[in-house]
Amino acid sequence: AGEGAAAASVAAAASVDGLRIIAQLLSDTNDRAVLVEVVGLVGWLASGSDEKDAMRIGEDEAIMVKLGDLLSSRMPQIRVKAAWAFACLARGKNKTLILSGENLQRVTRSLTEMLRTKDAESQAIAARLAGCLACGNRANGAVMARGAGGKASGLYTALKVLNQSASGDVRMESGWAEHMLLLSTTEAA
């Protein structure tokens, strides 16, 4: 009975009205602690729902744009939470939505910055998001792996460097992400 109630809660929160409230909270709150919790709620809803509900969340432009903005935040805690929420949303067509339009440069730049920090948690979740976006989506992987002139991108180079990290979690996540990016570039060729 508990699983049924949890599924009903996720479905209600992922409803049009629930998403409107979440989008409003994301855009209106100035309290950083509340913002972290609301972004966490987006990730929780995406990871705890079926693919249909995750797609519904991804189709909410206000939520996706705000998550892209928060991924560029100067606060590591907000950046990590936004990256985690995006990683939870990275299913089906959401993978393309996350890297579409103006989000492409912003997300790849933010991920590269996170990969280059000294914070292992930021590095690991940025690598996870890069891998999630590339996994099963050749276009995303190719865009993230190759820069101008076909050379390796800053994001790809940062992942390669992290394969030597002292943190086992960072090495695992960066190795997997690098593998996903390489698969997409070899499949696309």
Side-chain angles (χ1 to χ4, degrees):
E3 286 182 26
S9 296
V10 168
S15 71
V16 173
D17 290 335
L19 293 177
R20 191 172 345 187
I21 291 167
I22 290 169
Q24 181 94 31
L25 284 168
L26 285 172
S27 67
D28 291 350
T29 190
N30 292 320
D31 184 324
R32 292 176 181 165
V34 171
L35 191 57
V36 167
E37 294 304 320
V38 174
V39 173
L41 176 62
V42 172
W44 179 80
L45 289 172
S47 67
S49 64
D50 61 18
E51 191 159 333
K52 180 180 164 190
D53 286 338
M55 294 305 124
R56 186 177 304 129
I57 296 166
E59 290 168 354
D60 190 301
E61 187 176 347
I63 291 175
M64 296 298 271
V65 168
K66 188 62 177 181
L67 286 176
D69 291 343
L70 295 173
L71 195 61
S72 302
S73 171
R74 293 189 184 274
M75 293 191 54
Q77 186 179 21
I78 290 176
R79 287 178 87 155
V80 165
K81 201 62 101 163
W84 177 76
F86 266 151
C88 293
L89 282 165
R91 295 194 252 170
K93 68 181 180 178
N94 282 353
K95 291 180 184 188
T96 302
L97 290 172
I98 291 168
L99 289 183
S100 66
E102 63 187 51
N103 258 0
L104 173 63
Q105 294 302 320
R106 185 173 35 185
V107 169
T108 54
R109 183 176 44 250
S110 295
L111 286 178
T112 303
E113 289 171 8
M114 290 175 74
L115 291 168
R116 291 179 175 160
T117 67
K118 302 287 186 216
D119 177 55
E121 182 182 20
S122 293
Q123 293 169 335
I125 194 62
R128 160 95 37 108
L129 176 54
C132 287
L133 291 171
C135 184
N137 189 313
R138 289 186 293 182
N140 279 1
V143 164
M144 289 188 294
R146 299 284 171 229
K151 294 183 178 180
S153 69
L155 189 147
Y156 178 77
T157 305
L159 285 171
K160 290 277 298 174
V161 168
L162 290 179
N163 286 332
Q164 307 305 314
S165 173
S167 165
D169 289 342
V170 172
R171 281 194 315 273
M172 179 185 68
E173 294 291 355
S174 65
W176 176 74
E178 179 191 0
H179 181 72
M180 291 298 105
L181 268 65
L182 284 175
L183 276 177
S184 65
T185 58
T186 56
E187 289 175 4

